[in-house]
Amino acid sequence: MQVYKAFFKVIQKNRAQILIYLVVFMALALILSGAYNPPQDTDFTKVKVNIAFINDDGDSQLVAGLKTYLGENANLVAIPDETQKLQDALFFRQVEYILRVPAGFTEDMLNGKEVQLEKTTVPDSTSNIYMDLLINKYLNTVKTYTTYLPGLSQDDLSQNLEKDLAEQSKVTMISNGTHSIYAEKSGYYFNYLSYSLFAILILGVCSVMLVFNDTDLKRRNLCSPIRSANMNMQMVLGNLSFAILTWLVLISASFIMYGSFMFTATGLLLLLNSFVFTLAVLSISYLIGNLVKSRGAMSAIANVFALGTSFISGVFVPQELLGANVLTIASFTPTYWYVKANNEITAAVSFNTGNLSSIFTSMVLVLAFGVAVLGVTLVLIKQRRVES
Amino acid sequence: MFLFNYRYRLKCIFKDRQLMFWTFMFPILLATLFNLAFANLSSSDNFKKVNVAVVQNEQLDQNPAFVKALDGADNLFVVKYTTQDQAAVLLSDHDIDGYITFDPDLNLVVNQSSLNQTIIRGFLDDFKQSSATITTIITQNPSALANGNLEGISSRTEYLKAVAANQSNPDPVVNYFYAMIAMTCLYGGFLGVKEVVAIQADLSDVGARINLAPTNKLTVFLASIMAATTVQLLELLILLAFIIGVLGISFGDQLGYIALTCVVGSLTGVTFGTCIAAIIKKGEGLKIGILIGSTMIMCFLAGMMSANIKYTVMTKAPILGYLNPANLITDSFYALYYYNTHTQFFTDILLLCGFTLFFSSVTYFVLRRQKYASL
């Protein structure tokens, strides 16, 4: 097993480069699982938009009432009243709506004069429309009262408003069954896994291939007493064990983070999907390993492949946000089908022939990619041998 | 002599394919990927009319006021009138965001809680609350109905007027591109490392040869740095032209200031590289490793991976932002695009000049007068 041992010696020498991608992935996985909490769809909860409320008017019951009303229906974020700080908050979506109550608002409003509040928003956004609806509702109710019940004291007005606006309509939530809180999280985990897997396998396999394809070394190996079939067998074994080892390391954190969830149907399908994907990536890495000539080109190609496929296939940005033509291009990479299957697995509440057939079609396509690329590589190797 | 060196250093750089890939092709590729991936990100917030179905039954026919109110809200909703079963099917196929039914009270049926459902809910609440208001008015002042009609209730006044924060759209996607340009600037450090390696006698054969020549080392080095900066600036301008012209990302219209940022950013990047190469005595691999690692951390803090990181740093630890060259470059572009004043921009540029000065001084004091007992 000299060849097999040599394979892992070369990997050992290149471990620094490979470890970087492992660390990047683990960091991403940890940050994601800590930060992201998917909404629970068993009861209806209204979405609260983040808004900033700035009052240039004096303290009055009317303004306080409006603020309380908005506080119940939106998240009030405290931002200092400075132009740049407000602009920053809006730009980075810390708030999506800035409402400014002008000076003299209470008096004008109670006297039925025309008055307008200033809003600064993300143009055309849905949150903008919703907040307009809420604020106009409150102020129109005030107007109705001041019109039809003139002379109503501010106290009574607030009481009436509070009572009226507490009226709520009934909402029935049709639940699609319970969904594990881990389902969506683990989906992200396995999607990100594709980025590191691509980078690590390309780097690992290429660095070994560069050594073994070196002309002098190859000639020396060919005149060794080991049969060429035996040598190739050991190489195949080396590649496979390296890929499986990488897969095991990358999925290991999922067991720590999601525990027994990984043994449910969803978890097992995710594992199977990632394993199939590993084989396809190995096959692509093997092709690249037989094409690159230098270590510089190797790290360039590893980065381009890992980043490129991840960006267009929906690893970093969800597939539903990508344009149709981007997805068409992406469907020529296995990553697209891998991510598609992951999304379908995690979205499914129960598995039936419908969604399972779609999931397995994706897996078969990923496998087909692997086989096709392997075929091309073998033809390439054969051709080279005949030429030389 | 200066021009001779300058020309040959230019040739050396352009012939280095790996270097050209990382400092030139890679940023262009990354910009293209950003553009493909983020194209729909900001428009995904855009309001599209909410699809609702209303179940047609007897109770609905008894509430003409509701149908009237719903008709009046055609800027919010696309309404379909269906049977109960059709509505359920539409909902499970996600063709509608929810359906409204009277059974006999107003009831909204949904299968998820997101903003669109909240809007339908808000509209229904509005309807119920208006009825409550009318009831309150009639109980407290029965003559209101007698004095006039209650038509005023259904006429709505618009109480909001939009005030734009400024002329530019608050689109967080542009920040990814700004941070990416900051990355390109700092990747100019590759050129800086190359030039230092090429002039230090203990790092390369060329360096040993140059040190033998009866030429002032500073003159030779200045020529190298000039060559590196020229290439870096050229690459940056092509990248910028690509991002603005081909990808259509907005940088505002202050071209002069944008060019100034590019020049200062290039200088910062190249001197950043020379500084690292001068301080770290070990091999070229480690120098490059540290250059890439520190650039990535700085760009992460400037919001290249997630724009929110930049905001968190801005509000929670502003000092960290001012000590981070990548953030300063990003922030310069951001200030030019988004702010109405130039105070922030000039603060950033001055700090960047400070960093450039600092990096060059460190490089200068480490590189000068080095003598070798043996090579």
Side-chain angles (χ1 to χ4, degrees):
Chain A
M1 294 293 271
Q2 291 96 326
V3 181
Y4 187 79
K5 275 187 193 154
F7 187 104
F8 280 95
K9 267 193 190 148
V10 180
I11 299 274
Q12 266 286 322
K13 290 254 173 185
N14 290 286
R15 63 175 182 277
Q17 233 182 338
I18 291 173
L19 277 176
I20 291 175
Y21 287 93
L22 199 65
V23 171
V24 167
F25 171 67
M26 289 298 170
L28 276 177
L30 277 177
I31 293 169
L32 279 173
S33 65
Y36 182 72
N37 271 314
Q40 279 301 293
D41 280 354
T42 43
D43 277 318
F44 182 79
T45 39
K46 59 187 164 200
V47 175
K48 292 188 169 184
V49 178
N50 288 343
I51 67 166
F53 184 92
I54 297 158
N55 182 18
D56 288 344
D57 197 18
D59 287 327
S60 70
Q61 269 182 308
L62 187 65
V63 175
L66 176 63
K67 194 173 178 179
T68 317
Y69 175 66
L70 290 178
E72 282 162 10
N73 293 289
N75 294 322
L76 298 181
V77 181
I79 308 268
D81 186 9
E82 292 164 36
T83 317
Q84 278 194 7
K85 294 220 161 114
L86 289 169
Q87 284 181 340
D88 289 344
L90 192 69
F91 186 92
F92 291 103
R93 301 291 188 270
Q94 196 61 28
V95 297
E96 292 177 65
Y97 198 101
I98 301 169
L99 181 71
R100 186 179 288 277
V101 179
F105 160 77
T106 311
E107 211 184 303
D108 290 350
M109 192 74 206
L110 291 177
N111 295 332
K113 278 193 205 155
E114 241 184 61
V115 59
Q116 277 197 312
L117 282 70
E118 290 175 4
K119 62 166 182 177
T120 309
T121 65
V122 178
D124 302 325
S125 65
T126 311
S127 52
N128 173 9
I129 303 274
Y130 176 57
M131 289 315 297
D132 283 0
L133 186 74
L134 283 177
I135 297 165
N136 276 324
K137 167 69 201 160
Y138 189 89
L139 297 176
N140 274 298
T141 312
V142 174
K143 186 191 82 175
T144 311
Y145 276 118
T146 50
T147 317
Y148 291 96
L149 298 176
L152 199 66
S153 75
Q154 271 207 49
D155 263 336
D156 291 340
L157 176 63
S158 314
Q159 261 175 18
N160 282 347
L161 282 168
E162 207 177 315
K163 187 170 73 56
D164 289 353
L165 298 177
E167 285 278 336
Q168 290 193 333
S169 49
K170 201 172 97 188
V171 181
T172 312
M173 186 85 181
I174 298 179
S175 175
N176 298 322
T178 46
H179 214 164
S180 166
I181 49 161
Y182 288 140
E184 214 163 333
K185 278 189 182 186
S186 58
Y188 278 102
Y189 178 95
F190 278 91
N191 281 350
Y192 274 95
L193 186 139
S194 71
Y195 167 70
S196 297
L197 190 72
F198 238 120
I200 292 175
L201 285 192
I202 292 180
L203 287 177
V205 172
C206 282
S207 51
V208 177
M209 285 306 164
L210 276 175
V211 172
F212 278 87
N213 282 343
D214 179 73
T215 319
D216 290 342
L217 198 86
K218 204 169 184 177
R219 284 180 183 155
R220 166 67 190 78
N221 281 344
L222 284 174
C223 64
S224 68
I226 298 181
R227 275 174 49 217
S228 140
N230 186 351
M231 198 150 70
N232 287 340
M233 200 58 216
Q234 290 188 38
M235 283 296 285
V236 169
L237 220 62
N239 275 313
L240 272 177
S241 10
F242 174 61
I244 292 175
L245 191 73
T246 309
W247 176 71
L248 283 174
V249 172
L250 287 179
I251 61 166
S252 60
S254 72
F255 286 96
I256 299 166
M257 286 193 294
Y258 311 122
S260 60
F261 171 75
M262 294 315 297
F263 296 102
T264 62
T266 311
L268 291 174
L269 275 172
L270 285 173
L271 291 175
L272 176 67
N273 191 29
S274 62
F275 184 74
V276 169
F277 181 66
T278 307
L279 296 180
V281 173
L282 175 65
S283 153
I284 293 173
S285 307
Y286 191 60
L287 172 65
I288 296 173
N290 280 297
L291 288 176
V292 293
K293 300 277 190 302
S294 73
R295 300 185 57 81
M298 174 181 91
S299 58
I301 289 185
N303 262 289
V304 170
F305 251 81
L307 276 178
T309 53
S310 299
F311 262 112
I312 61 171
S313 304
V315 173
F316 296 141
V317 177
Q319 282 187 347
E320 58 264 28
L321 288 182
L322 294 171
N325 41 0
V326 177
L327 287 179
T328 314
I329 302 170
S331 64
F332 291 99
T333 69
T335 316
Y336 169 82
W337 298 100
Y338 167 70
V339 171
K340 185 166 173 279
N342 272 346
N343 293 346
E344 282 171 359
I345 293 169
T346 50
V349 176
S350 64
F351 293 103
N352 49 39
T353 34
N355 54 29
L356 277 181
S357 73
S358 168
I359 291 166
F360 281 111
T361 310
S362 297
M363 285 196 208
V364 169
L365 275 169
V366 170
L367 211 58
F369 263 109
V371 174
V373 172
L374 186 67
V376 171
T377 318
L378 293 179
V379 169
L380 194 87
I381 294 173
K382 178 88 182 171
Q383 218 167 27
R384 274 193 195 159
R385 207 163 48 210
V386 174
E387 272 170 15
S388 61
Chain B
M1 198 62 208
F2 184 87
L3 277 179
F4 177 86
N5 277 327
Y6 177 73
R7 225 173 53 233
Y8 276 83
R9 287 315 303 168
L10 277 185
K11 278 194 170 176
C12 282
I13 295 171
F14 280 125
K15 291 247 165 97
D16 189 335
R17 272 159 62 192
Q18 210 183 319
L19 190 72
M20 291 309 285
F21 172 80
W22 285 112
T23 57
F24 182 54
M25 289 313 290
F26 184 64
I28 288 197
L29 192 87
L30 205 58
T32 315
L33 289 176
F34 272 13
N35 193 52
L36 288 178
F38 298 152
N40 294 355
L41 205 61
S42 45
S43 62
S44 67
D45 289 347
N46 281 8
F47 179 69
K48 286 185 229 46
K49 283 186 187 178
V50 181
N51 289 305
V52 293
V54 178
V55 174
Q56 271 183 316
N57 55 15
E58 281 174 24
Q59 283 94 338
L60 180 70
D61 298 336
Q62 289 162 14
N63 281 291
F66 178 76
V67 178
K68 202 177 155 206
L70 200 57
D71 285 345
D74 56 353
N75 55 335
L76 291 180
F77 302 115
V78 178
V79 186
K80 278 195 194 94
Y81 291 93
T82 61
T83 64
Q84 171 81 34
D85 294 341
Q86 281 174 330
V89 172
L90 286 173
L91 184 66
S92 65
D93 291 347
H94 295 281
D95 285 335
I96 52 171
D97 294 302
Y99 65 87
I100 301 164
T101 167
F102 283 90
D103 62 344
D105 270 347
L106 202 51
N107 186 9
L108 169 67
V109 183
V110 296
N111 58 5
Q112 56 176 322
S113 321
S114 66
L115 197 52
N116 278 0
Q117 281 77 16
T118 309
I119 289 179
I120 311 178
R121 214 276 173 97
F123 173 79
L124 297 184
D125 287 351
D126 184 345
F127 180 73
K128 284 195 86 164
Q129 289 160 1
S130 300
S131 317
T133 307
I134 297 174
T135 318
T136 316
I137 291 177
I138 293 172
T139 40
Q140 293 187 5
N141 181 11
S143 59
L145 201 61
N147 287 348
N149 50 40
L150 279 170
E151 251 172 28
I153 292 178
S154 53
S155 78
R156 285 300 182 89
T157 310
E158 176 61 52
Y159 281 104
L160 292 159
K161 73 165 179 240
V163 181
N166 45 32
Q167 71 280 18
S168 306
N169 189 13
D171 180 1
V173 167
V174 297
N175 194 66
Y176 290 100
F177 288 91
Y178 299 165
M180 212 235 11
I181 290 181
M183 183 201 81
T184 313
C185 287
L186 294 186
Y187 267 13
F190 283 119
L191 302 165
V193 171
K194 184 184 169 76
E195 293 315 312
V196 168
V197 170
I199 207 169
Q200 285 301 79
D202 57 342
L203 297 175
S204 63
D205 296 343
V206 180
R209 172 65 186 82
I210 288 176
N211 275 268
L212 277 180
T215 326
N216 188 344
K217 195 176 173 187
L218 183 64
T219 327
V220 181
F221 190 60
L222 276 182
S224 309
I225 292 303
M226 284 290 291
T229 314
T230 312
V231 175
Q232 170 68 8
L233 195 60
L234 199 67
E235 290 174 341
L236 205 57
L237 291 179
I238 296 176
L239 174 70
L240 206 65
F242 177 75
I243 293 180
I244 296 177
V246 180
L247 304 182
I249 302 298
S250 173
F251 278 71
D253 44 15
Q254 309 178 68
L255 287 179
Y257 286 135
I258 292 170
L260 175 67
T261 315
C262 288
V263 173
V264 178
S266 300
L267 277 169
T268 313
V270 172
T271 54
F272 175 60
T274 60
C275 180
I276 286 183
I279 296 173
I280 291 157
K281 296 294 177 196
K282 288 259 172 58
E284 201 177 343
L286 186 71
K287 293 183 212 280
I288 297 284
I290 290 182
L291 178 70
I292 295 179
S294 51
T295 303
M296 277 304 141
I297 293 172
M298 289 193 282
C299 287
F300 173 75
L301 291 174
M304 192 170 85
M305 288 74 170
S306 157
N308 284 336
I309 302 284
K310 179 170 161 58
Y311 185 73
T312 313
V313 172
M314 262 165 122
T315 44
K316 298 278 156 54
I319 292 290
L320 197 62
Y322 286 121
L323 291 178
N324 174 358
N327 183 57
L328 290 172
I329 297 171
T330 312
D331 209 48
S332 307
F333 286 118
Y334 171 71
L336 283 179
Y337 170 74
Y338 196 54
Y339 290 156
N340 308 329
T341 59
H342 284 116
T343 328
Q344 183 68 31
F345 172 73
F346 283 117
T347 316
D348 293 338
I349 291 291
L350 275 178
L351 280 168
L352 276 175
C353 291
F355 268 109
T356 310
L357 207 63
F358 171 75
F359 291 145
S360 352
S361 329
V362 171
T363 315
Y364 175 71
F365 284 111
V366 174
L367 292 193
R368 73 201 282 250
R369 287 180 195 159
Q370 277 191 358
K371 296 241 178 339
Y372 308 96
S374 159
L375 282 172

